[in-house]
């Protein structure tokens, strides 16, 4: 058995130890951290098999064992309050730790509960989706949605430990598996050209869920994100690079009422638009642009996004990256060479949205 | 006009600038901090006069102007959500700042909202009670109560600025004025023997609400607390010293259903018990013990607490400072010389509770 890969993110009180490897679920007791030795387990219905193995690994040391709804609609302050109430009713102390076993919704809301219970208790994540392994579980952003939008209430509260075992992906629906991989290749495109190249070669094996290439891609993506959030723990320019594909991505997602497109699928379309703009406003070569589109094409098919400019425009202008100068976006001068363009005219975004396809 | 006193607490992202002085309310625009220049005002009915002066000082730059219920029963996650909703509906951005104008309940809940909206926006406090000036507004603890107890949900989120102007105490009921002063003299007893001595001399003038001696006592107390929280921003041993009088104080408060005794009043009884125990288990002299009791007597009269051991005991044992070794408490070896006693037998606490009086 190969030894797990260890990735460090953050420093001091905000340090996260990230592990990628096979067999981590059953050995969880030796890696998950609780100062008291007691844990509060929060999970959802989907990843029951993974949760069961964590439960078995932690034996009788569960103070709370709670299953929550993991649909985006349930990512609310009310759900965070339910978790907090369960923890407080069980007599949680400041040295007990939470363990979130699930995808991005579970880790976002459970992590936020950990941030506010007793003004913050330690927590751990066992991600059970490709998106959570590559992206959501890393960087300390926790939070819930409100009627005004996504992630508008939250806290920076990095987990102590992230335990990513491919066995936890068992039972993950194919569509979600593929959508999550978009965030993984996104990380390669902004931060690791050799990972991008390698993943082009291994993608068929990754899609067949072969352990080694899957771990290499997801772990590589996590390493890119960990390096960025370590240099920029809050919201500086470096961290903004992670938003590659997210300007139009968020607009596509919102225009579809968060129903028709999964987050990773919307980001895939958003990346295609950013590639189009990078050809016009940055130094991205035709060849590198085509490499990106080809990868997205292999990760799809993705449902069609809303492209009608009149429908899309209000969602684009609502973006927090919008200003009088235009709507900021992340473009590429090449694979692994991202830059921020602060002033892309809305019309250029909307034109790109109308034009994009993965056929190149 | 005397120049205001400036006290610094915390460092870096957690630094607070604390101002004590007359005239600060009307000059608020030059001292309250908002990176964008826009403010969200949160206040309550009691301190309407102070809020009106802040409103006038900030002119048209209020994005939100909200009055909340400031009773302890309203210090809930629901109230925090109401504030967050108002902020988000008004289009709050990460560079806007909140201003809480009120007592401890308003600053606790509004500060918590500031901590979680957009994962944290800057905030300011204009305390309008003696307790908030001496204690509640300083140190970064924000939070709300739950059905399991007080302050069980919250965040560390220090305000950027605290603006303490005695004019903000106008209209504060006498009972609340006196109860809040208990926290001020408590700070002197644990951290500033000369402030303790001075306040014995000036107490009549303080109780007559004379500006200079009142500012000296409250500002001195704030300086003690600021020094402690700067050395110990989270919850280490140094910060625990602030709990002088709070072990039995919390039990008295809870046993009275949070109705019969105000927090400061319960702490006054708790301090009397700690003085009794300090005579037996620490080096506090009879003379210094009597000085403390005499001050509390002058600050009173306070309603009688529940003293029945069978009623009090469960509240005492529920304390987070309880362990198998006993219930920890802060005792004094002398005025200005506190120490932690980790293992005071519950029976000793209950005996002290039965014995205490301010007559000495």
């Amino acid at each position: 058995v190969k030894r797990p890969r260890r990735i460090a993110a953050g420093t001091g009180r905000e340090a996260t130890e990230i592990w990628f490897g096979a067999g981590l679920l059953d050995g969880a007791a030796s890696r998950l951290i609780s100062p008291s030795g007691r844990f509060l387990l929060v999970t959802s219905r989907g990843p029951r098999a993974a949760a069961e193995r964590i439960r078995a690994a932690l034996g009788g040391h569960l103070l709370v064992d709670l299953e929550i709804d993991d649909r985006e609609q349930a990512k609310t302050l009310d759900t965070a309050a339910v978790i907090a109430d369960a923890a407080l009713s069980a007599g949680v102390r400041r040295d007990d730790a939470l363990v979130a076993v699930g995808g991005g919704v579970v880790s976002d809301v459970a992590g936020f509960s950990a941030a506010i219970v007793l003004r913050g208790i330690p927590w751990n994540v066992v991600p059970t989706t490709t998106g959570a392994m590559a992206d959501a579980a890393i960087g300390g952003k926790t939070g819930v949605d409100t009627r005004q939008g996504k992630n508008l209430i939250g806290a920076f509260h990095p987990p102590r430990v992230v335990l990513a075992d491919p066995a936890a992906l068992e039972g993950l629906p194919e569509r979600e598996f593929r959508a999550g991989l978009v965030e993984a290749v996104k990380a390669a495109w902004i931060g690791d050209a050799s990972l991008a190249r390698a993943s082009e070669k291994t993608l068929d094996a990754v899609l067949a869920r072969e352990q080694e290439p899957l771990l290499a891609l997801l772990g590589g993506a996590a390493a890119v994100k960990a390096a960025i959030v370590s240099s920029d723990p809050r919201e500086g320019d470096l961290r903004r690079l992670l938003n590659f594909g997210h300007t139009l991505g968020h607009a596509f997602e919102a225009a579809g009422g968060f129903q028709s497109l999964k987050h990773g699928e919307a980001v895939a379309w958003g990346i295609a638009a950013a590639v189009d703009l990078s050809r016009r406003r940055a130094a991205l070569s035709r060849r590198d642009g085509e490499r990106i589109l080809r990868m997205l094409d292999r990760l799809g098919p993705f449902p069609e996004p809303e492209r009608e400019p009149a429908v899309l425009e209000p969602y684009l202008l609502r973006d927090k990256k919008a200003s009088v100068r235009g709507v900021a976006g992340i473009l590429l001068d090449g694979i692994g060479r991202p830059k921020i363009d602060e002033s892309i005219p809305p019309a250029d975004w909307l034109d790109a949205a109308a034009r994009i396809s993965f056929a190149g």
Side-chain angles (χ1 to χ4, degrees), chain A:
Chain A
V1 176
K2 251 185 101 172
R3 288 181 55 192
R5 173 175 181 181
R6 182 180 177 281
I7 300 164
T11 53
R13 221 168 49 216
E14 305 206 330
T16 302
E17 204 168 34
I18 303 164
W19 296 97
F20 271 81
L24 290 172
L25 286 185
D26 297 326
S30 68
R31 289 211 165 77
L32 298 178
I33 292 180
S34 167
S36 71
R38 305 196 302 176
F39 289 93
L40 300 90
L41 180 70
V42 179
T43 184
S44 61
R45 235 178 80 178
R48 269 198 186 156
E52 193 43 59
R53 288 165 74 172
I54 294 294
R55 208 173 268 125
L58 296 179
H61 304 286
L62 293 184
L63 192 62
V64 161
D65 189 347
L66 190 66
E67 205 171 273
I68 61 169
D69 182 349
D70 66 359
R71 288 169 304 167
E72 189 75 34
Q73 304 95 285
K75 199 176 123 181
T76 61
L77 195 55
D78 284 344
T79 303
V82 166
I83 298 170
D85 187 62
L88 293 167
S89 295
V92 60
R93 293 187 314 232
R94 213 165 277 156
D95 55 354
D96 298 325
L98 189 145
V99 189
V101 180
V105 168
V106 171
S107 60
D108 279 4
V109 68
F112 180 59
S113 298
I116 63 173
V117 165
L118 304 180
R119 296 199 189 90
I121 61 170
W123 71 298
N124 306 263
V125 195
V126 180
T128 63
T129 64
T130 45
M133 286 185 188
D135 191 61
I138 300 158
K141 285 187 182 179
T142 70
V144 298
D145 304 335
T146 71
R147 63 188 179 88
Q148 293 92 358
K150 284 180 73 174
N151 299 317
L152 294 180
I153 285 183
F156 283 98
H157 188 54
R160 292 284 187 91
V161 173
V162 176
L163 222 59
D165 182 339
L169 301 173
E170 210 185 288
L172 185 70
E174 185 65 10
R175 186 177 164 193
E176 228 175 304
F177 181 86
R178 285 169 175 257
L181 290 178
V182 173
E183 293 278 6
V185 290
K186 175 210 77 178
W189 290 326
I190 61 167
D192 188 343
S194 62
L195 179 65
R197 178 68 73 187
S199 63
E200 289 167 26
K201 299 199 178 109
T202 62
L203 190 64
D204 290 338
V206 167
L207 291 173
R209 305 196 184 197
E210 283 179 30
Q211 233 170 55
E212 285 307 319
L214 185 56
L215 279 169
L217 174 54
L218 295 172
V224 168
K225 181 156 185 189
I228 289 177
V229 302
S230 296
S231 309
D232 178 11
R234 290 297 186 268
E235 292 276 29
D237 276 351
L238 194 53
R239 193 152 183 160
R240 289 173 68 193
L241 300 178
L242 293 165
N243 285 325
F244 180 52
H246 281 62
T247 305
L248 265 184
H250 283 149
F252 288 140
E253 202 179 0
F258 299 97
Q259 303 284 334
S260 54
L261 287 173
K262 293 194 176 292
H263 176 69
E265 296 170 341
V267 169
W269 290 108
I271 290 174
V275 163
D276 179 289
L277 289 167
S278 296
R279 290 280 297 127
R280 293 159 199 269
R281 299 175 63 94
L284 187 69
S285 68
R286 169 194 288 259
R287 203 179 121 68
D288 282 354
E290 282 170 355
R291 282 174 57 200
I292 293 175
L293 297 178
R294 174 81 191 109
M295 274 295 273
L296 293 173
D297 192 41
R298 292 167 73 194
L299 286 172
F302 304 124
E304 270 287 314
E306 173 65 59
R307 292 167 187 262
E308 178 57 42
V311 178
L312 213 49
E313 188 173 25
Y315 294 103
L316 181 68
L317 296 180
R318 183 191 296 179
D319 194 282
K320 60 175 175 277
K321 296 178 280 299
S323 74
V324 285
R325 291 176 297 165
V327 181
I330 312 303
L331 303 184
L332 296 181
D333 280 331
I335 288 178
R337 292 193 292 134
K339 67 169 187 186
I340 300 175
D341 188 333
E342 296 286 359
S343 47
I344 304 174
D348 290 13
W349 283 111
L350 298 170
D351 287 350
R355 265 194 311 264
I356 47 173
S357 85
F358 300 129

